Amino acid sequence: MTVMRESTMSKRSKRDERLQKLMEQDVPARYRSHKGRLRLVALGVGCLALFWAASVVCWLLAPSTTAMVSTFVLCGVGLAAGAWVFGTLILVSGVSGRIPEHLLDERQLQQRYRAHADAHRASLLLVFVTCFVVLILMGDHDHVSAAAVVVTFFALLASIAALPYLIATWKMTDPPAIDEEP
Amino acid sequence: MSTDKENVHNRIPMLRAERGVSRRDLATALGVHYQTIGYLERGEYSPSLHLALRIAEYFEVPVEVVFSLHPFPRLGSPS
């Protein structure tokens, strides 16, 4: 039992050390300026727009081969580009929910809570607007394609997951460098 | 990040330069991220009372020597 606990603790501390090292990394030079970060946020929004575009295609054309092919292409491109963009967003914003609280200092915690609070408000609005639009679309269609509902749900989920990072990166001020002298 | 209204002025850059302490060293000693020291120095973040006291303790000066609600007079100015 004691051996198991020690092994869990050492695993945990190794993970903590790895995360600490990741957090200590300097923000890449191109994202140190507001313009660079806005460009990254725009890329992130662009990736999410691909999922929403796939959802629109499904609502308008599904079930059809055109809808299937375009949905796969749009979601595939969105996933491939999104993986890189959101990885960078997490690194730049530093508000990842995967980092345990005990590894963050008071400013980082405040930044994380603020980003998640803002994202929560934006998510509520997004869910409300999506439900409203879906209800209208369901009224207009005799048959609703399951693909349309699934892709819309996926786009909504991806947007809600990405919002904290997008908002935190958009609102953050230029990070100070390690050796920058005031 | 603090607004202008609740801005707390500090002498961290001066104390750091005087004692030859790098931003990274200070951050490590206080157990905070180096960017937090940068944001503090720029006046873009106001520390908690606990952090303010720890910074003062690190430099071995009273807390009012490091932090003030009013801008610190420039060196050589009459007041």
Side-chain angles (χ1 to χ4, degrees), chain A residues 58-126:
Chain A
C58 282
W59 278 100
L60 296 178
L61 303 175
S64 70
T65 314
T66 320
M68 190 181 73
V69 171
S70 38
T71 300
F72 278 125
V73 169
L74 288 167
C75 289
V77 174
L79 277 174
W84 177 80
V85 172
F86 286 101
T88 315
L89 274 169
I90 290 169
L91 189 76
V92 171
S93 65
V95 295
S96 173
R98 288 189 63 197
I99 301 170
E101 285 195 359
H102 70 269
L103 291 181
L104 301 176
D105 67 31
E106 55 178 52
R107 180 195 60 84
Q108 290 171 308
L109 272 177
Q110 194 189 66
Q111 193 184 8
R112 178 196 275 189
Y113 293 151
R114 194 162 289 174
H116 281 88
D118 290 343
H120 182 68
R121 277 196 291 274
S123 299
L124 272 177
L125 185 72
L126 191 65

Side-chain angles (χ1 to χ4, degrees), chain B:
Chain B
M1 307 295 144
S2 61
T3 61
D4 283 346
K5 205 178 170 184
E6 51 194 33
N7 199 19
V8 176
H9 302 270
N10 70 76
R11 275 177 171 151
I12 299 173
M14 208 187 78
L15 287 161
R16 216 165 46 74
E18 189 190 77
R19 287 154 205 236
V21 179
S22 73
R23 200 174 267 175
R24 170 80 81 182
D25 293 340
L26 180 59
T28 309
L30 297 170
V32 297
H33 196 269
Y34 74 87
Q35 283 182 358
T36 302
I37 303 296
Y39 283 121
L40 275 169
E41 290 182 355
R42 282 198 211 156
E44 289 177 10
Y45 174 67
S46 296
S48 67
L49 179 61
H50 184 251
L51 182 58
L53 287 168
R54 282 176 59 220
I55 293 170
E57 191 183 44
Y58 177 83
F59 288 116
E60 295 172 326
V61 289
V63 74
E64 61 270 25
V65 171
V66 193
F67 296 99
S68 168
L69 291 174
H70 309 288
F72 286 102
R74 293 176 72 90
L75 287 175
S77 65
S79 55

Side-chain angles (χ1 to χ4, degrees), chain A:
Chain A
M1 188 74 174
T2 318
V3 175
M4 213 172 98
R5 197 176 296 158
E6 273 173 12
S7 125
T8 316
M9 274 178 73
S10 71
K11 263 186 200 166
R12 205 173 288 166
S13 62
K14 270 183 190 167
R15 183 175 174 263
D16 285 1
E17 276 173 26
R18 210 177 58 241
L19 285 169
Q20 197 100 48
K21 268 188 189 166
L22 195 77
M23 279 161 46
E24 285 297 315
Q25 280 181 9
D26 216 357
V27 174
R30 74 171 77 161
Y31 306 120
R32 301 190 76 81
S33 68
H34 189 60
K35 206 175 168 184
R37 288 193 301 278
L38 276 186
R39 212 173 293 144
L40 186 65
V41 170
L43 273 174
V45 172
C47 289
L48 291 176
L50 290 175
F51 296 127
W52 287 104
S55 149
V56 171
V57 167
C58 282
W59 278 100
L60 296 178
L61 303 175
S64 70
T65 314
T66 320
M68 190 181 73
V69 171
S70 38
T71 300
F72 278 125
V73 169
L74 288 167
C75 289
V77 174
L79 277 174
W84 177 80
V85 172
F86 286 101
T88 315
L89 274 169
I90 290 169
L91 189 76
V92 171
S93 65
V95 295
S96 173
R98 288 189 63 197
I99 301 170
E101 285 195 359
H102 70 269
L103 291 181
L104 301 176
D105 67 31
E106 55 178 52
R107 180 195 60 84
Q108 290 171 308
L109 272 177
Q110 194 189 66
Q111 193 184 8
R112 178 196 275 189
Y113 293 151
R114 194 162 289 174
H116 281 88
D118 290 343
H120 182 68
R121 277 196 291 274
S123 299
L124 272 177
L125 185 72
L126 191 65
V127 168
F128 178 77
V129 170
T130 308
C131 286
F132 186 71
V133 172
V134 165
L135 282 175
I136 290 174
L137 287 171
M138 282 172 92
D140 289 349
H141 290 68
D142 293 335
H143 300 288
V144 177
S145 157
V149 177
V150 169
V151 174
T152 306
F153 181 70
F154 179 69
L156 187 63
L157 221 61
S159 305
I160 289 171
L163 270 172
Y165 308 109
L166 289 170
I167 291 175
T169 309
W170 179 34
K171 289 178 92 173
M172 77 186 274
T173 52
D174 293 354
I178 298 175
D179 298 319
E180 176 194 311
E181 289 308 321

